[in-house]
């Protein structure tokens, strides 16, 4: 609510819904919440747009995020996030990425790296230990990016139970 008080304002009319600063910096945001409860043997995921990737026994599972964004002030802005509760097992690995990872334009194709390529790389390297998995994903991404400038920040995170 504080950023909604920052100008400039549409038509120079101060109002919480007319802050251009807020609309520029606080819309189209994606978000993820991950709650690992090892005692209960469960993980709860909630997210907008960004998926959660789980590797179990060398297999890849994709838990999709909801449509919509964090930060929009639309009629459904009060709609609660859906929670996805999954069984947690020793050896489970969870991988999270930011949109900058898949939105990067590749030098050779001129197209985005994309979620399909990310899933393919993740599945291909699923049996690697986490440090090697991360290195393989980052190396492939860097090779595809080539001399193209970075479009957005990149976040790649893995957790192993």
């Amino acid at each position: 609510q504080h950023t909604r008080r920052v100008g400039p304002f549409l038509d120079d009319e101060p109002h919480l819904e007319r802050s251009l600063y807020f609309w520029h910096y606080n819309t189209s945001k994606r978000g993820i919440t991950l709650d690992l409860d090892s005692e209960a043997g469960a993980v709860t995921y909630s997210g907008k747009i960004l998926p959660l990737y789980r590797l179990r026994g060398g297999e890849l599972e994709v838990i999709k995020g909801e449509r919509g964004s964090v930060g929009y002030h639309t009629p459904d802005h009060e709609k609660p996030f859906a929670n996805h509760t999954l069984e947690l097992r020793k050896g489970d690995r969870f991988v999270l990425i930011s949109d900058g990872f898949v939105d990067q334009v590749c030098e050779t194709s001129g197209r985005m790296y994309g979620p399909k390529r990310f899933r393919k790389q993740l599945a291909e390297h699923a049996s690697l230990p986490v440090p090697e998995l991360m290195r393989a994903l980052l190396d492939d991404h860097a090779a595809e990016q080539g001399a193209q400038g970075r479009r957005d920040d990149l976040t790649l995170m893995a957790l192993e139970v």
Side-chain angles (χ1 to χ4, degrees), residues 30-96:
R30 290 137 171 95
I32 292 176
T33 301
L34 194 63
D35 179 16
L36 298 169
D37 187 343
S38 56
E39 287 184 23
V43 58
T44 303
Y45 159 78
S46 182
K48 291 285 188 174
I49 300 175
L50 299 171
L52 170 67
Y53 301 95
R54 175 168 63 178
L55 298 169
R56 176 181 277 175
E59 296 294 317
L60 172 63
E61 179 183 4
V62 181
I63 300 92
K64 293 184 178 181
E66 293 180 73
R67 294 182 69 176
S69 297
V70 179
Y72 274 129
H73 187 72
T74 60
D76 68 344
H77 72 281
E78 292 182 8
K79 179 182 171 197
F81 284 55
N83 288 331
H84 305 275
T85 302
L86 311 166
E87 176 193 19
L88 188 62
R89 291 188 195 159
K90 185 166 178 53
D92 279 350
R93 293 185 288 166
F94 297 94
V95 179
L96 304 152

Side-chain angles (χ1 to χ4, degrees), residues 115-134:
K116 185 176 180 180
R117 181 173 184 93
F118 180 76
R119 288 190 306 270
K120 179 181 177 283
Q121 290 298 310
L122 191 54
E124 251 180 53
H125 302 292
S127 61
L128 293 175
V130 169
E132 292 173 36
L133 169 67
M134 302 295 272

Side-chain angles (χ1 to χ4, degrees), residues 100-117:
F101 202 97
V102 293
D103 289 351
Q104 178 61 48
V105 174
C106 299
E107 181 178 40
T108 54
S109 68
R111 294 185 168 176
M112 291 193 316
Y113 187 85
K116 185 176 180 180
R117 181 173 184 93

Side-chain angles (χ1 to χ4, degrees), residues 1-9 16-31 48-49 68-74 77 81:
Q1 186 169 353
H2 294 291
T3 59
R4 291 176 182 264
R5 298 181 191 283
V6 177
F9 296 98
L16 292 179
E17 299 304 323
R18 299 177 75 82
S19 168
L20 299 177
Y21 177 89
F22 172 81
W23 290 115
H24 178 74
Y25 290 106
N26 292 290
T27 58
S28 303
K29 302 297 183 191
R30 290 137 171 95
K48 291 285 188 174
I49 300 175
S69 297
V70 179
Y72 274 129
H73 187 72
T74 60
H77 72 281
F81 284 55

